[in-house]
Amino acid sequence: MSTDAIGWETGIKGDFPINQAIVKVMPSGTRVVSAESSGVSAWAKIAKVSVLLLDGSPKNYLLKCATGRGSQAVTQGEYYSALTINEALHGFVPKPVGWGEYYNGESLVFFFLGDFHKMNLSIAPEPASFMSKIAELHRNTSRNGMFGFHVPTACGKMERTVTWEESWAKSFIRQLKDVIKYDNETNGPWPEYDAACKQLIDAVIPRLLGALQSDGRKITPSLIHGDLWENNLGTDAETGETVLFDPGCIYAHNEMEFGTWRCTWARYFNKPIYMEMYQHHIKPSEPVEEWDDRNRLYSIHPYLNDSAGHAGSASRKMLVI
């Protein structure tokens, strides 16, 4: 294996070009054998990279390459999110190897490299064991006791603001403002929508989420996957274990994790059994009677994130219905 004058590896099989910057994050002495396009992503190009390690043993990596807005948050954010989840719950996400950037002759490319898992994406996880693991993940809290994350992360391709905050209401407002801005850039202004957003930010969120940290009530920042839905998990073909992927972590109110499960695209996470199993381990926050209202509020973030990523999507209408 050699490198040409502009940094591309030569002498490898497959249809996916490999830049020397990618090889540099692999273990020393690794030789790339092949790189083939693999999988589907709306935000990145994906490849299965087959290598021989220094001792001659074969190994497969998953490579994601992204360009344009949000690409660094997508790749760097996934690396540090996967690293953090693996420290908390080893094997629950593919082991991250590295991230970086290179120039492809036309644009700056950011990449993420992690262990490759052959997965069955059609099997719904068994509720009791899966939700036990999600609860275990959520029991991990930030070292500084605040809401946020130490590097920008993304939900889909949309970068989220992860500035450290003591107030969960302020943290969520920052994240909601992100997707409102992205959505307006994609779909244009809409007076009724803008009015609904203003009411949410000025009145609904301070009241509904402010109650979690008032009158003696407290919540602990929880490590959440950040984009947990049916298309971001699979069953490992070798171990039979459920594996999550595409994390965009933040230390948040744990209930935020489940906003996506209320959305119209939920296929099985909208079944009550999953939340029932979770609440065997972690009870709803006080005020308990406002759990459903908070869940409805948290669903707005993925709806607007979806709308921002798909021009003309009906998702933004969910805010004003």
Side-chain angles (χ1 to χ4, degrees):
M1 186 176 70
S2 59
T3 307
D4 67 17
I6 57 173
W8 297 103
E9 299 295 332
T10 59
I12 63 175
K13 299 177 181 179
D15 63 355
F16 203 99
I18 299 296
N19 191 274
Q20 62 180 349
I22 298 167
V23 179
K24 286 181 179 178
V25 306
M26 297 178 183
S28 179
T30 298
R31 181 169 70 88
V32 179
V33 177
S34 66
E36 299 279 357
S37 298
S38 175
V40 177
S41 171
W43 323 123
K45 294 181 179 179
I46 302 176
K48 176 184 177 182
V49 182
S50 299
V51 308
L52 291 176
L53 301 177
L54 182 60
D55 63 3
S57 59
K59 186 172 181 61
N60 295 320
Y61 291 121
L62 178 76
L63 172 66
K64 294 183 182 179
C65 297
T67 59
R69 182 177 187 173
S71 297
Q72 182 170 348
V74 167
T75 53
Q76 180 192 32
E78 179 166 358
Y79 173 77
Y80 284 105
S81 294
L83 201 65
T84 304
I85 291 177
N86 255 313
E87 289 174 353
L89 206 58
H90 182 72
F92 204 27
V93 294
K95 180 182 177 182
V97 176
W99 78 280
E101 63 183 72
Y102 62 87
Y103 186 67
N104 68 1
E106 297 179 352
S107 57
L108 189 62
V109 179
F110 290 93
F111 68 87
F112 164 82
L113 190 72
D115 281 359
F116 180 88
H117 290 249
K118 184 178 180 181
M119 288 192 282
N120 185 327
L121 305 179
S122 64
I123 302 174
E126 193 281 318
S129 59
F130 179 71
M131 297 313 293
S132 174
K133 284 188 174 181
I134 295 298
E136 186 176 350
L137 177 68
H138 288 177
R139 290 193 182 99
N140 290 270
T141 191
S142 56
R143 294 177 181 177
N144 61 10
M146 300 173 75
F147 300 97
F149 203 65
H150 59 286
V151 298
T153 61
C155 182
K157 69 174 182 179
M158 305 301 171
E159 182 175 338
R160 72 166 96 238
T161 299
V162 293
T163 306
W164 292 110
E165 292 278 3
E166 292 183 353
S167 164
W168 169 238
K170 289 182 179 179
S171 178
F172 187 72
I173 284 172
R174 286 181 183 271
Q175 296 176 66
L176 196 65
K177 283 182 175 180
D178 289 339
V179 291
I180 291 169
K181 179 184 69 173
Y182 298 145
D183 184 41
N184 272 324
E185 290 171 353
T186 299
N187 292 296
W190 180 16
E192 292 87 350
Y193 168 78
D194 293 338
C197 290
K198 187 177 188 305
Q199 184 178 21
L200 268 176
I201 291 167
D202 292 348
V204 177
I205 296 174
R207 159 60 188 87
L208 198 57
L209 301 189
L212 295 165
Q213 294 176 289
S214 64
D215 298 327
R217 292 183 287 265
K218 296 180 181 180
I219 54 172
T220 301
S222 294
L223 177 63
I224 68 170
H225 174 281
D227 193 14
L228 184 58
W229 66 298
E230 291 89 341
N231 281 17
N232 280 348
L233 60 87
T235 301
D236 187 284
E238 292 185 7
T239 66
E241 295 293 325
T242 299
V243 178
L244 310 183
F245 48 88
D246 288 355
C249 288
I250 185 170
Y251 290 97
H253 181 213
N254 63 299
E255 293 175 10
M256 182 184 174
E257 189 86 276
F258 310 118
T260 313
W261 297 12
R262 194 184 191 105
C263 296
T264 54
W265 54 78
R267 301 194 302 274
Y268 49 76
F269 280 148
N270 53 2
K271 295 180 179 178
I273 186 63
Y274 284 96
M275 192 52 55
E276 289 170 7
M277 291 297 101
Y278 178 83
Q279 291 177 353
H280 284 327
H281 303 279
I282 299 179
K283 303 297 183 184
S285 299
E286 295 286 350
V288 174
E289 65 274 13
E290 295 181 357
W291 182 93
D292 191 66
D293 293 329
R294 294 192 296 266
N295 184 247
R296 187 183 302 275
L297 173 63
Y298 291 143
S299 74
I300 291 172
H301 186 279
Y303 270 130
L304 296 188
N305 197 75
D306 175 72
S307 180
H310 304 88
S313 167
S315 291
R316 72 175 353 203
K317 295 180 182 178
M318 302 302 296
L319 183 60
V320 295
I321 291 177

